[in-house]
Amino acid sequence: MNEQTTRQPHSVKPLRVVVMGAGMAGILAGIKLREAGYGSVAIYEKAARVGGTWRENTYPGLTCDVPSHAYTYSFEPNPDWSRVLPPGAEVQAYFERTVEKYGISDMIRFNEEIIACVFEQGRWNLTMKSGLRDTADIIIAATGVLHHPSVPDIKGLPAFEGKAFHSSHWDHSVPLDGARVGVVGNGSTGVQIVSALAGRASKVSHFQRTAQWIFPVENPYFTDEQKAAFRADRALLHSLRYDPTYLSNVERFTNAILDADSPEIREIEAIALGHLERSVPDPALRAKLRPDYRVACKRLIYSPDYYQAIQHPNAALVTDGIECVEAKGIRTRDGKLHELDVLVLATGFKADQFMRPMNVVGRDGVKLNDVWAKRPRAYLAVAIPGFPNFFMLNGPTGPVGNFSLIDIAEQQWQYVSQLMDLVRNGVCNEVEATQAALDDYDQARIAAARKTVFGSGCNSWYLDAEGVPATWPWSQARFREAMAAPQMEHYTLSNA
């Protein structure tokens, strides 16, 4: 940082900070703001509970695909995870306990959806759907990525006489035992649902548009003795978050996705292909399950039991395209009617929305929707030119994949908090990324992203409207280095 940014402040300015969302990243922001002594903080949450995607998703079989001890805040390890890959309800409970333990409940305003956030006369003016208004000096957008369901436009869907719902809006009043269940979509969610329902439902029909690469994984329970050891030795518990095997796997996977022709990607592909060959003896079914694109081009799926589940006598893989939905079920393009009682749309989320459809307006009336008309952009995934004192956690072009987004958010918070301190300590009133910094970053990022495995030819939610992977295309080490401290030449400081 330069001399201007490091000079000693005369006093600490009282600031109003608003956090958008009480999911994983919003909870993190609330805890860190309280630790840093920010006295005026509000977290606005559109729902009635914390938890974000873990609150929204409650479908059968919901499991985190990041090891439990890596999917925790660094400052709040959990000795009581039941399994290596924890069920969703445990993850949700962890976040709820953390909110209570760190005493940030008083910050959170539930059932308050922000519909407008407008920068005027040096401050952010917020309007809630309820009519409530607030004003902030600094905005932390922690809205997450996977919270706007993507509902497919399937002809005839409203005509279905059974129960139909998106996987993130699971209707737990609907009986599943003995029912005929159709699952549309075979990403991680669809795979987990089919694995959970095969054997419960009288028939599970899994409608597959594109085969997925599935990586073998075990999910053992932690024993009572192990959990007792975790509780007794915090150092042991802490070490699990940085388990060398896990970190080695992350590094291997990172190197793999950065180069679609790397030895690492070929090794991962060989493991996944061998898993398919060993697990599915029927050559016809095996052929339907074999992808025709590079491994990890779509988000790699980790499952201990999907191949077994889809071979259950009560399960069927349907690869003929969907023609339409009718009153009694789904008719495929081969003319067959698959009769159903329950239709589950495991069709993912609109990953390019972030805080939208909120009306966010920056300096001089610049609308975020216009700035993002081509693709969502943010310098280093956290800052947007023309939007002063507005910072994102897990924003566009951040690291994605099979990593712990908690770790990513903590790294981003380390970076954002340093920018906030400039305002708090009186160095400036406003800080924003320069357009040149964003343009240079995005140009380099797009060139690198096209070379990653995400750009190797498949269709996935990683791709923007122009087919460019909307991802961080470099190593985890480079991300950590970038998040260690802002390069202040890439920011404009103003005392307007």
Side-chain angles (χ1 to χ4, degrees), residues 86-104:
E90 281 189 31
V91 180
Q92 172 66 13
Y94 169 78
F95 288 128
E96 291 176 342
R97 287 197 310 271
T98 301
V99 166
E100 293 304 314
K101 178 175 178 178
Y102 287 84
I104 64 167

Side-chain angles (χ1 to χ4, degrees), residues 3 36 67 103 147 244 271 345 435 439 458:
E3 182 179 351
H147 61 110
I271 293 171
L345 303 174
Q435 189 64 49
D439 291 343
C458 72

Side-chain angles (χ1 to χ4, degrees), residues 156 159-162 325-329 337 340:
F160 183 57
E161 293 179 349
V325 177
E326 299 180 3
K328 300 300 181 183
L337 177 64
L340 304 171

Side-chain angles (χ1 to χ4, degrees), residues 154 183-186 205-211 284-285 287-289 316-325 330-338:
I154 303 176
V183 179
V184 176
N186 67 324
S205 299
H206 196 187
F207 294 87
Q208 171 187 285
R209 183 172 59 181
T210 307
L285 178 60
K288 291 180 179 181
L289 291 166
L317 182 70
V318 182
T319 57
D320 294 295
I322 295 175
E323 179 64 32
C324 64
V325 177
I330 288 178
R331 189 172 297 278
T332 46
R333 290 175 188 156
D334 61 353
K336 181 178 180 179
L337 177 64
H338 303 263

Side-chain angles (χ1 to χ4, degrees), residues 22-25 27 45 47 49-59 61-68 71-73 81 85-96 143-144 146-147 167-168 172 188-189 192 299 349 394 403-406:
M24 173 276 293
I27 293 169
E45 170 54 55
R49 298 166 62 206
V50 303
T53 193
W54 297 103
R55 175 198 61 237
E56 297 295 310
N57 288 277
T58 59
Y59 59 80
L62 173 62
T63 305
C64 183
D65 61 7
V66 174
S68 51
Y71 197 76
T72 56
Y73 298 118
W81 292 118
L85 302 176
E90 281 189 31
V91 180
Q92 172 66 13
Y94 169 78
F95 288 128
E96 291 176 342
T143 54
L146 307 180
H147 61 110
S167 55
S168 65
H172 289 277
S188 291
T189 296
Q192 291 180 355
R299 190 173 193 271
F349 298 85
N394 288 318
F403 310 124
S404 172
L405 286 182
I406 295 182

Side-chain angles (χ1 to χ4, degrees), residues 142-203:
T143 54
V145 183
L146 307 180
H147 61 110
H148 292 293
S150 178
V151 178
D153 183 18
I154 303 176
K155 184 173 68 173
L157 186 58
F160 183 57
E161 293 179 349
K163 295 291 186 179
F165 44 82
H166 191 272
S167 55
S168 65
H169 294 157
W170 196 274
D171 187 345
H172 289 277
S173 70
V174 176
L176 300 173
D177 294 322
R180 298 167 299 178
V181 182
V183 179
V184 176
N186 67 324
S188 291
T189 296
V191 163
Q192 291 180 355
I193 292 170
V194 170
S195 296
L197 296 186
R200 282 187 63 187
S202 66
K203 180 70 175 291

